Amino acid sequence: MAASDSHADSLDFGILHELIGYRLRRAQLVFFNSFADACNDLGISPGLFGVLVLVKQNPGRTQTAIAQAMGNDRSAMVSAVDRLEKKDLVERRPSQNDRRSYALYLTANGEAFYDRLVERVLQHEHALEGVLRPGEKDLLIDILSRLCAGSAKG
Amino acid sequence: MAASDSHADSLDFGILHELIGYRLRRAQLVFFNSFADACNDLGISPGLFGVLVLVKQNPGRTQTAIAQAMGNDRSAMVSAVDRLEKKDLVERRPSQNDRRSYALYLTANGEAFYDRLVERVLQHEHALEGVLRPGEKDLLIDILSRLCAGSAKG
DNA sequence: TATTGTTATACTCTATAACTATA
DNA sequence: TATAGTTATAGAGTATAACAATA
């Protein structure tokens, strides 16, 4: 390759590198791809993992409640729960009070799977924490949570 | 609403709230939606903004070079540049050395538009920085850039 | 042989609107 | 009337594979 190749050297990112939005996007993409590498064989995406955790921690809630907690539309929950049901991880039980809705629970298989999955996710998380200095993780999470809370979304 | 409504109280997020990956995803979503609110009338998404900045800072580069800098496949650049060309912001000029490729430049209109756009984006950025304490922005960007650099992607 | 731009294609994620059965 | 789950649909965003022109 000659030095005159227009794609050989790195580009000037200008303002991009000083924008939180851009840095967030890149970092989130890194985490997303890394999560996929870590959990693809289990068939679990970050979104499905979120559903599993919320159902595990809040058994008996409706699809709509889970969707709201995740910040998604309830229509997006249908295929998510479908997939988790097909994998025998989550179960739709008829709600007792309200015959319109389902109560979501982990299956017995889902409970066991959950432990293995969390272990895998924590491994993945720790691997990426390697570049952080002591105390920076808590600070990072604190900052990110403030950025989320600061949005006038409701 | 009765206190027994299963969707009335907030859910337990368990491990999610301590996972950098989850916090990144939520924060990035907040920024994305906020960016859209700020720039929708200009017809510019975060992705298109990235292309504009890179072309502005690196005039004459090829689509492939821009795509690589953004971490995207070059096929994704086609419709992006198409849209920017339709808006008279970016121009494909035949490359002098290599007749396979185009050299990308901002149009005269694109240059003027760019200044207005950057002003808007900085406004949006400053609004979201409101929840940060002095020095936290630089630290946040430093941490995020380390998280990106730490990924074995190449 | 390898690369650029392109097209076709597909897959994920997500949102909206409308339907049904309930409430 | 309003709500829960569902369906159909559509729009981004992104990726792969293959092609023509060119290197």
PDB file of all heavy atoms in Angstrom, chain A residues 111-141:
ATOM      1  N   GLU A 111     -35.608 -21.098  35.201  1.00  0.00           N
ATOM      2  CA  GLU A 111     -34.899 -20.759  36.444  1.00  0.00           C
ATOM      3  C   GLU A 111     -33.461 -21.262  36.399  1.00  0.00           C
ATOM      4  O   GLU A 111     -32.517 -20.546  36.749  1.00  0.00           O
ATOM      5  CB  GLU A 111     -35.625 -21.364  37.656  1.00  0.00           C
ATOM      6  CG  GLU A 111     -37.009 -20.780  37.922  1.00  0.00           C
ATOM      7  CD  GLU A 111     -36.942 -19.437  38.644  1.00  0.00           C
ATOM      8  OE1 GLU A 111     -35.841 -19.008  39.029  1.00  0.00           O
ATOM      9  OE2 GLU A 111     -38.012 -18.804  38.814  1.00  0.00           O
ATOM     10  N   ALA A 112     -33.304 -22.501  35.966  1.00  0.00           N
ATOM     11  CA  ALA A 112     -31.957 -23.065  35.880  1.00  0.00           C
ATOM     12  C   ALA A 112     -31.139 -22.344  34.808  1.00  0.00           C
ATOM     13  O   ALA A 112     -29.968 -22.007  35.018  1.00  0.00           O
ATOM     14  CB  ALA A 112     -32.028 -24.562  35.572  1.00  0.00           C
ATOM     15  N   PHE A 113     -31.795 -22.098  33.670  1.00  0.00           N
ATOM     16  CA  PHE A 113     -31.121 -21.398  32.574  1.00  0.00           C
ATOM     17  C   PHE A 113     -30.688 -20.002  33.002  1.00  0.00           C
ATOM     18  O   PHE A 113     -29.612 -19.534  32.624  1.00  0.00           O
ATOM     19  CB  PHE A 113     -32.076 -21.312  31.388  1.00  0.00           C
ATOM     20  CG  PHE A 113     -31.508 -20.625  30.176  1.00  0.00           C
ATOM     21  CD1 PHE A 113     -30.788 -21.331  29.231  1.00  0.00           C
ATOM     22  CD2 PHE A 113     -31.711 -19.264  29.971  1.00  0.00           C
ATOM     23  CE1 PHE A 113     -30.272 -20.704  28.109  1.00  0.00           C
ATOM     24  CE2 PHE A 113     -31.193 -18.627  28.860  1.00  0.00           C
ATOM     25  CZ  PHE A 113     -30.481 -19.350  27.925  1.00  0.00           C
ATOM     26  N   TYR A 114     -31.537 -19.378  33.795  1.00  0.00           N
ATOM     27  CA  TYR A 114     -31.258 -18.012  34.235  1.00  0.00           C
ATOM     28  C   TYR A 114     -29.932 -17.918  34.973  1.00  0.00           C
ATOM     29  O   TYR A 114     -29.138 -16.995  34.740  1.00  0.00           O
ATOM     30  CB  TYR A 114     -32.400 -17.518  35.119  1.00  0.00           C
ATOM     31  CG  TYR A 114     -32.230 -16.107  35.608  1.00  0.00           C
ATOM     32  CD1 TYR A 114     -32.595 -15.036  34.811  1.00  0.00           C
ATOM     33  CD2 TYR A 114     -31.703 -15.834  36.874  1.00  0.00           C
ATOM     34  CE1 TYR A 114     -32.438 -13.738  35.247  1.00  0.00           C
ATOM     35  CE2 TYR A 114     -31.546 -14.540  37.321  1.00  0.00           C
ATOM     36  CZ  TYR A 114     -31.914 -13.498  36.509  1.00  0.00           C
ATOM     37  OH  TYR A 114     -31.757 -12.210  36.945  1.00  0.00           O
ATOM     38  N   ASP A 115     -29.689 -18.863  35.856  1.00  0.00           N
ATOM     39  CA  ASP A 115     -28.443 -18.828  36.626  1.00  0.00           C
ATOM     40  C   ASP A 115     -27.226 -18.934  35.710  1.00  0.00           C
ATOM     41  O   ASP A 115     -26.248 -18.204  35.869  1.00  0.00           O
ATOM     42  CB  ASP A 115     -28.437 -19.965  37.651  1.00  0.00           C
ATOM     43  CG  ASP A 115     -29.489 -19.755  38.730  1.00  0.00           C
ATOM     44  OD1 ASP A 115     -29.883 -18.584  38.939  1.00  0.00           O
ATOM     45  OD2 ASP A 115     -29.933 -20.737  39.338  1.00  0.00           O
ATOM     46  N   ARG A 116     -27.308 -19.856  34.756  1.00  0.00           N
ATOM     47  CA  ARG A 116     -26.185 -20.002  33.822  1.00  0.00           C
ATOM     48  C   ARG A 116     -26.009 -18.743  32.987  1.00  0.00           C
ATOM     49  O   ARG A 116     -24.902 -18.273  32.741  1.00  0.00           O
ATOM     50  CB  ARG A 116     -26.424 -21.195  32.887  1.00  0.00           C
ATOM     51  CG  ARG A 116     -26.074 -22.540  33.517  1.00  0.00           C
ATOM     52  CD  ARG A 116     -26.069 -23.627  32.458  1.00  0.00           C
ATOM     53  NE  ARG A 116     -27.383 -23.821  31.864  1.00  0.00           N
ATOM     54  CZ  ARG A 116     -27.603 -23.904  30.558  1.00  0.00           C
ATOM     55  NH1 ARG A 116     -26.600 -23.820  29.712  1.00  0.00           N
ATOM     56  NH2 ARG A 116     -28.830 -24.100  30.104  1.00  0.00           N
ATOM     57  N   LEU A 117     -27.136 -18.177  32.561  1.00  0.00           N
ATOM     58  CA  LEU A 117     -27.086 -16.987  31.724  1.00  0.00           C
ATOM     59  C   LEU A 117     -26.475 -15.804  32.461  1.00  0.00           C
ATOM     60  O   LEU A 117     -25.620 -15.089  31.924  1.00  0.00           O
ATOM     61  CB  LEU A 117     -28.505 -16.641  31.247  1.00  0.00           C
ATOM     62  CG  LEU A 117     -28.639 -15.391  30.390  1.00  0.00           C
ATOM     63  CD1 LEU A 117     -27.813 -15.503  29.118  1.00  0.00           C
ATOM     64  CD2 LEU A 117     -30.110 -15.131  30.045  1.00  0.00           C
ATOM     65  N   VAL A 118     -26.916 -15.603  33.696  1.00  0.00           N
ATOM     66  CA  VAL A 118     -26.398 -14.482  34.476  1.00  0.00           C
ATOM     67  C   VAL A 118     -24.891 -14.632  34.675  1.00  0.00           C
ATOM     68  O   VAL A 118     -24.136 -13.647  34.572  1.00  0.00           O
ATOM     69  CB  VAL A 118     -27.117 -14.387  35.836  1.00  0.00           C
ATOM     70  CG1 VAL A 118     -26.355 -13.478  36.791  1.00  0.00           C
ATOM     71  CG2 VAL A 118     -28.534 -13.871  35.643  1.00  0.00           C
ATOM     72  N   GLU A 119     -24.458 -15.843  34.936  1.00  0.00           N
ATOM     73  CA  GLU A 119     -23.026 -16.094  35.088  1.00  0.00           C
ATOM     74  C   GLU A 119     -22.284 -15.678  33.819  1.00  0.00           C
ATOM     75  O   GLU A 119     -21.258 -14.998  33.864  1.00  0.00           O
ATOM     76  CB  GLU A 119     -22.800 -17.579  35.366  1.00  0.00           C
ATOM     77  CG  GLU A 119     -21.433 -17.905  35.921  1.00  0.00           C
ATOM     78  CD  GLU A 119     -21.307 -19.406  36.216  1.00  0.00           C
ATOM     79  OE1 GLU A 119     -22.326 -20.131  36.074  1.00  0.00           O
ATOM     80  OE2 GLU A 119     -20.211 -19.832  36.553  1.00  0.00           O
ATOM     81  N   ARG A 120     -22.847 -16.055  32.680  1.00  0.00           N
ATOM     82  CA  ARG A 120     -22.239 -15.710  31.394  1.00  0.00           C
ATOM     83  C   ARG A 120     -22.219 -14.190  31.185  1.00  0.00           C
ATOM     84  O   ARG A 120     -21.210 -13.624  30.772  1.00  0.00           O
ATOM     85  CB  ARG A 120     -23.042 -16.378  30.277  1.00  0.00           C
ATOM     86  CG  ARG A 120     -22.402 -16.317  28.931  1.00  0.00           C
ATOM     87  CD  ARG A 120     -21.373 -17.412  28.751  1.00  0.00           C
ATOM     88  NE  ARG A 120     -21.966 -18.723  28.540  1.00  0.00           N
ATOM     89  CZ  ARG A 120     -22.283 -19.218  27.340  1.00  0.00           C
ATOM     90  NH1 ARG A 120     -22.039 -18.512  26.274  1.00  0.00           N
ATOM     91  NH2 ARG A 120     -22.824 -20.411  27.220  1.00  0.00           N
ATOM     92  N   VAL A 121     -23.329 -13.559  31.512  1.00  0.00           N
ATOM     93  CA  VAL A 121     -23.414 -12.111  31.310  1.00  0.00           C
ATOM     94  C   VAL A 121     -22.431 -11.377  32.225  1.00  0.00           C
ATOM     95  O   VAL A 121     -21.810 -10.397  31.812  1.00  0.00           O
ATOM     96  CB  VAL A 121     -24.862 -11.624  31.545  1.00  0.00           C
ATOM     97  CG1 VAL A 121     -24.918 -10.105  31.596  1.00  0.00           C
ATOM     98  CG2 VAL A 121     -25.778 -12.155  30.455  1.00  0.00           C
ATOM     99  N   LEU A 122     -22.307 -11.875  33.458  1.00  0.00           N
ATOM    100  CA  LEU A 122     -21.370 -11.227  34.383  1.00  0.00           C
ATOM    101  C   LEU A 122     -19.926 -11.410  33.921  1.00  0.00           C
ATOM    102  O   LEU A 122     -19.109 -10.497  34.051  1.00  0.00           O
ATOM    103  CB  LEU A 122     -21.554 -11.791  35.794  1.00  0.00           C
ATOM    104  CG  LEU A 122     -22.835 -11.325  36.489  1.00  0.00           C
ATOM    105  CD1 LEU A 122     -22.955 -11.939  37.876  1.00  0.00           C
ATOM    106  CD2 LEU A 122     -22.873  -9.798  36.593  1.00  0.00           C
ATOM    107  N   GLN A 123     -19.633 -12.570  33.361  1.00  0.00           N
ATOM    108  CA  GLN A 123     -18.318 -12.794  32.774  1.00  0.00           C
ATOM    109  C   GLN A 123     -18.045 -11.744  31.690  1.00  0.00           C
ATOM    110  O   GLN A 123     -16.992 -11.120  31.640  1.00  0.00           O
ATOM    111  CB  GLN A 123     -18.260 -14.189  32.137  1.00  0.00           C
ATOM    112  CG  GLN A 123     -17.484 -15.229  32.919  1.00  0.00           C
ATOM    113  CD  GLN A 123     -17.465 -16.563  32.206  1.00  0.00           C
ATOM    114  OE1 GLN A 123     -18.250 -16.800  31.288  1.00  0.00           O
ATOM    115  NE2 GLN A 123     -16.577 -17.437  32.637  1.00  0.00           N
ATOM    116  N   HIS A 124     -19.024 -11.604  30.809  1.00  0.00           N
ATOM    117  CA  HIS A 124     -18.919 -10.639  29.717  1.00  0.00           C
ATOM    118  C   HIS A 124     -18.736  -9.227  30.261  1.00  0.00           C
ATOM    119  O   HIS A 124     -17.906  -8.459  29.766  1.00  0.00           O
ATOM    120  CB  HIS A 124     -20.171 -10.749  28.852  1.00  0.00           C
ATOM    121  CG  HIS A 124     -20.519  -9.516  28.104  1.00  0.00           C
ATOM    122  ND1 HIS A 124     -21.477  -8.628  28.532  1.00  0.00           N
ATOM    123  CD2 HIS A 124     -20.023  -9.005  26.963  1.00  0.00           C
ATOM    124  CE1 HIS A 124     -21.555  -7.637  27.674  1.00  0.00           C
ATOM    125  NE2 HIS A 124     -20.698  -7.826  26.718  1.00  0.00           N
ATOM    126  N   GLU A 125     -19.510  -8.909  31.296  1.00  0.00           N
ATOM    127  CA  GLU A 125     -19.419  -7.581  31.890  1.00  0.00           C
ATOM    128  C   GLU A 125     -18.031  -7.348  32.493  1.00  0.00           C
ATOM    129  O   GLU A 125     -17.408  -6.307  32.270  1.00  0.00           O
ATOM    130  CB  GLU A 125     -20.497  -7.445  32.969  1.00  0.00           C
ATOM    131  CG  GLU A 125     -20.518  -6.117  33.686  1.00  0.00           C
ATOM    132  CD  GLU A 125     -21.407  -5.092  33.007  1.00  0.00           C
ATOM    133  OE1 GLU A 125     -21.967  -5.396  31.937  1.00  0.00           O
ATOM    134  OE2 GLU A 125     -21.542  -3.982  33.545  1.00  0.00           O
ATOM    135  N   HIS A 126     -17.548  -8.317  33.233  1.00  0.00           N
ATOM    136  CA  HIS A 126     -16.242  -8.169  33.875  1.00  0.00           C
ATOM    137  C   HIS A 126     -15.134  -7.992  32.841  1.00  0.00           C
ATOM    138  O   HIS A 126     -14.199  -7.231  33.045  1.00  0.00           O
ATOM    139  CB  HIS A 126     -15.956  -9.378  34.764  1.00  0.00           C
ATOM    140  CG  HIS A 126     -16.844  -9.471  35.956  1.00  0.00           C
ATOM    141  ND1 HIS A 126     -17.356  -8.345  36.580  1.00  0.00           N
ATOM    142  CD2 HIS A 126     -17.342 -10.530  36.630  1.00  0.00           C
ATOM    143  CE1 HIS A 126     -18.118  -8.726  37.601  1.00  0.00           C
ATOM    144  NE2 HIS A 126     -18.141 -10.043  37.647  1.00  0.00           N
ATOM    145  N   ALA A 127     -15.261  -8.726  31.726  1.00  0.00           N
ATOM    146  CA  ALA A 127     -14.236  -8.622  30.690  1.00  0.00           C
ATOM    147  C   ALA A 127     -14.150  -7.193  30.177  1.00  0.00           C
ATOM    148  O   ALA A 127     -13.056  -6.658  29.950  1.00  0.00           O
ATOM    149  CB  ALA A 127     -14.544  -9.586  29.551  1.00  0.00           C
ATOM    150  N   LEU A 128     -15.302  -6.559  30.014  1.00  0.00           N
ATOM    151  CA  LEU A 128     -15.302  -5.201  29.478  1.00  0.00           C
ATOM    152  C   LEU A 128     -14.967  -4.168  30.537  1.00  0.00           C
ATOM    153  O   LEU A 128     -14.595  -3.034  30.232  1.00  0.00           O
ATOM    154  CB  LEU A 128     -16.655  -4.896  28.835  1.00  0.00           C
ATOM    155  CG  LEU A 128     -16.838  -5.581  27.484  1.00  0.00           C
ATOM    156  CD1 LEU A 128     -18.295  -5.618  27.066  1.00  0.00           C
ATOM    157  CD2 LEU A 128     -16.014  -4.886  26.414  1.00  0.00           C
ATOM    158  N   GLU A 129     -15.106  -4.560  31.804  1.00  0.00           N
ATOM    159  CA  GLU A 129     -14.749  -3.642  32.886  1.00  0.00           C
ATOM    160  C   GLU A 129     -13.236  -3.528  33.042  1.00  0.00           C
ATOM    161  O   GLU A 129     -12.760  -2.703  33.828  1.00  0.00           O
ATOM    162  CB  GLU A 129     -15.339  -4.134  34.212  1.00  0.00           C
ATOM    163  CG  GLU A 129     -16.803  -3.797  34.398  1.00  0.00           C
ATOM    164  CD  GLU A 129     -17.366  -4.524  35.611  1.00  0.00           C
ATOM    165  OE1 GLU A 129     -16.576  -5.046  36.411  1.00  0.00           O
ATOM    166  OE2 GLU A 129     -18.605  -4.582  35.729  1.00  0.00           O
ATOM    167  N   GLY A 130     -12.515  -4.361  32.301  1.00  0.00           N
ATOM    168  CA  GLY A 130     -11.066  -4.401  32.468  1.00  0.00           C
ATOM    169  C   GLY A 130     -10.376  -3.080  32.230  1.00  0.00           C
ATOM    170  O   GLY A 130      -9.312  -2.819  32.782  1.00  0.00           O
ATOM    171  N   VAL A 131     -10.995  -2.220  31.428  1.00  0.00           N
ATOM    172  CA  VAL A 131     -10.359  -0.940  31.109  1.00  0.00           C
ATOM    173  C   VAL A 131     -10.709   0.141  32.130  1.00  0.00           C
ATOM    174  O   VAL A 131     -10.259   1.277  32.008  1.00  0.00           O
ATOM    175  CB  VAL A 131     -10.770  -0.454  29.695  1.00  0.00           C
ATOM    176  CG1 VAL A 131     -10.288  -1.444  28.641  1.00  0.00           C
ATOM    177  CG2 VAL A 131     -12.262  -0.257  29.609  1.00  0.00           C
ATOM    178  N   LEU A 132     -11.538  -0.226  33.119  1.00  0.00           N
ATOM    179  CA  LEU A 132     -11.959   0.781  34.100  1.00  0.00           C
ATOM    180  C   LEU A 132     -11.042   0.768  35.322  1.00  0.00           C
ATOM    181  O   LEU A 132     -10.563  -0.279  35.746  1.00  0.00           O
ATOM    182  CB  LEU A 132     -13.398   0.513  34.538  1.00  0.00           C
ATOM    183  CG  LEU A 132     -14.439   0.545  33.429  1.00  0.00           C
ATOM    184  CD1 LEU A 132     -15.838   0.373  34.015  1.00  0.00           C
ATOM    185  CD2 LEU A 132     -14.353   1.843  32.648  1.00  0.00           C
ATOM    186  N   ARG A 133     -10.840   1.966  35.873  1.00  0.00           N
ATOM    187  CA  ARG A 133     -10.050   2.073  37.092  1.00  0.00           C
ATOM    188  C   ARG A 133     -10.982   1.906  38.296  1.00  0.00           C
ATOM    189  O   ARG A 133     -12.208   2.028  38.166  1.00  0.00           O
ATOM    190  CB  ARG A 133      -9.356   3.437  37.122  1.00  0.00           C
ATOM    191  CG  ARG A 133      -8.284   3.583  36.053  1.00  0.00           C
ATOM    192  CD  ARG A 133      -7.490   4.873  36.212  1.00  0.00           C
ATOM    193  NE  ARG A 133      -8.177   6.015  35.624  1.00  0.00           N
ATOM    194  CZ  ARG A 133      -7.900   6.522  34.408  1.00  0.00           C
ATOM    195  NH1 ARG A 133      -6.944   5.970  33.673  1.00  0.00           N
ATOM    196  NH2 ARG A 133      -8.549   7.557  33.940  1.00  0.00           N
ATOM    197  N   PRO A 134     -10.408   1.647  39.468  1.00  0.00           N
ATOM    198  CA  PRO A 134     -11.232   1.448  40.669  1.00  0.00           C
ATOM    199  C   PRO A 134     -12.218   2.593  40.883  1.00  0.00           C
ATOM    200  O   PRO A 134     -11.843   3.759  40.814  1.00  0.00           O
ATOM    201  CB  PRO A 134     -10.195   1.395  41.797  1.00  0.00           C
ATOM    202  CG  PRO A 134      -8.952   0.906  41.134  1.00  0.00           C
ATOM    203  CD  PRO A 134      -8.973   1.473  39.745  1.00  0.00           C
ATOM    204  N   GLY A 135     -13.461   2.253  41.101  1.00  0.00           N
ATOM    205  CA  GLY A 135     -14.488   3.251  41.358  1.00  0.00           C
ATOM    206  C   GLY A 135     -15.158   3.799  40.122  1.00  0.00           C
ATOM    207  O   GLY A 135     -16.216   4.421  40.215  1.00  0.00           O
ATOM    208  N   GLU A 136     -14.554   3.572  38.971  1.00  0.00           N
ATOM    209  CA  GLU A 136     -15.116   4.173  37.754  1.00  0.00           C
ATOM    210  C   GLU A 136     -16.416   3.507  37.314  1.00  0.00           C
ATOM    211  O   GLU A 136     -17.270   4.157  36.707  1.00  0.00           O
ATOM    212  CB  GLU A 136     -14.083   4.109  36.614  1.00  0.00           C
ATOM    213  CG  GLU A 136     -13.025   5.191  36.705  1.00  0.00           C
ATOM    214  CD  GLU A 136     -12.153   5.265  35.475  1.00  0.00           C
ATOM    215  OE1 GLU A 136     -12.080   4.272  34.718  1.00  0.00           O
ATOM    216  OE2 GLU A 136     -11.527   6.311  35.256  1.00  0.00           O
ATOM    217  N   LYS A 137     -16.580   2.238  37.627  1.00  0.00           N
ATOM    218  CA  LYS A 137     -17.814   1.569  37.214  1.00  0.00           C
ATOM    219  C   LYS A 137     -19.021   2.198  37.898  1.00  0.00           C
ATOM    220  O   LYS A 137     -20.010   2.535  37.252  1.00  0.00           O
ATOM    221  CB  LYS A 137     -17.766   0.079  37.528  1.00  0.00           C
ATOM    222  CG  LYS A 137     -19.133  -0.569  37.340  1.00  0.00           C
ATOM    223  CD  LYS A 137     -19.135  -2.068  37.345  1.00  0.00           C
ATOM    224  CE  LYS A 137     -20.570  -2.568  37.236  1.00  0.00           C
ATOM    225  NZ  LYS A 137     -20.679  -4.011  37.065  1.00  0.00           N
ATOM    226  N   ASP A 138     -18.936   2.353  39.220  1.00  0.00           N
ATOM    227  CA  ASP A 138     -20.045   2.958  39.948  1.00  0.00           C
ATOM    228  C   ASP A 138     -20.316   4.375  39.457  1.00  0.00           C
ATOM    229  O   ASP A 138     -21.462   4.791  39.309  1.00  0.00           O
ATOM    230  CB  ASP A 138     -19.746   2.971  41.454  1.00  0.00           C
ATOM    231  CG  ASP A 138     -19.850   1.570  42.052  1.00  0.00           C
ATOM    232  OD1 ASP A 138     -20.388   0.676  41.364  1.00  0.00           O
ATOM    233  OD2 ASP A 138     -19.388   1.368  43.184  1.00  0.00           O
ATOM    234  N   LEU A 139     -19.239   5.107  39.203  1.00  0.00           N
ATOM    235  CA  LEU A 139     -19.399   6.475  38.728  1.00  0.00           C
ATOM    236  C   LEU A 139     -20.048   6.488  37.343  1.00  0.00           C
ATOM    237  O   LEU A 139     -20.958   7.282  37.083  1.00  0.00           O
ATOM    238  CB  LEU A 139     -18.036   7.174  38.685  1.00  0.00           C
ATOM    239  CG  LEU A 139     -18.042   8.613  38.167  1.00  0.00           C
ATOM    240  CD1 LEU A 139     -18.979   9.479  39.007  1.00  0.00           C
ATOM    241  CD2 LEU A 139     -16.640   9.205  38.163  1.00  0.00           C
ATOM    242  N   LEU A 140     -19.586   5.583  36.480  1.00  0.00           N
ATOM    243  CA  LEU A 140     -20.158   5.517  35.134  1.00  0.00           C
ATOM    244  C   LEU A 140     -21.652   5.219  35.188  1.00  0.00           C
ATOM    245  O   LEU A 140     -22.463   5.886  34.535  1.00  0.00           O
ATOM    246  CB  LEU A 140     -19.431   4.441  34.317  1.00  0.00           C
ATOM    247  CG  LEU A 140     -20.007   4.135  32.943  1.00  0.00           C
ATOM    248  CD1 LEU A 140     -19.996   5.375  32.057  1.00  0.00           C
ATOM    249  CD2 LEU A 140     -19.248   2.986  32.271  1.00  0.00           C
ATOM    250  N   ILE A 141     -22.029   4.237  35.987  1.00  0.00           N
ATOM    251  CA  ILE A 141     -23.441   3.870  36.095  1.00  0.00           C
ATOM    252  C   ILE A 141     -24.241   5.017  36.683  1.00  0.00           C
ATOM    253  O   ILE A 141     -25.368   5.292  36.263  1.00  0.00           O
ATOM    254  CB  ILE A 141     -23.582   2.576  36.926  1.00  0.00           C
ATOM    255  CG1 ILE A 141     -23.136   1.388  36.063  1.00  0.00           C
ATOM    256  CG2 ILE A 141     -24.997   2.398  37.429  1.00  0.00           C
ATOM    257  CD1 ILE A 141     -23.302   0.045  36.709  1.00  0.00           C
TER     258      ILE A 141
END
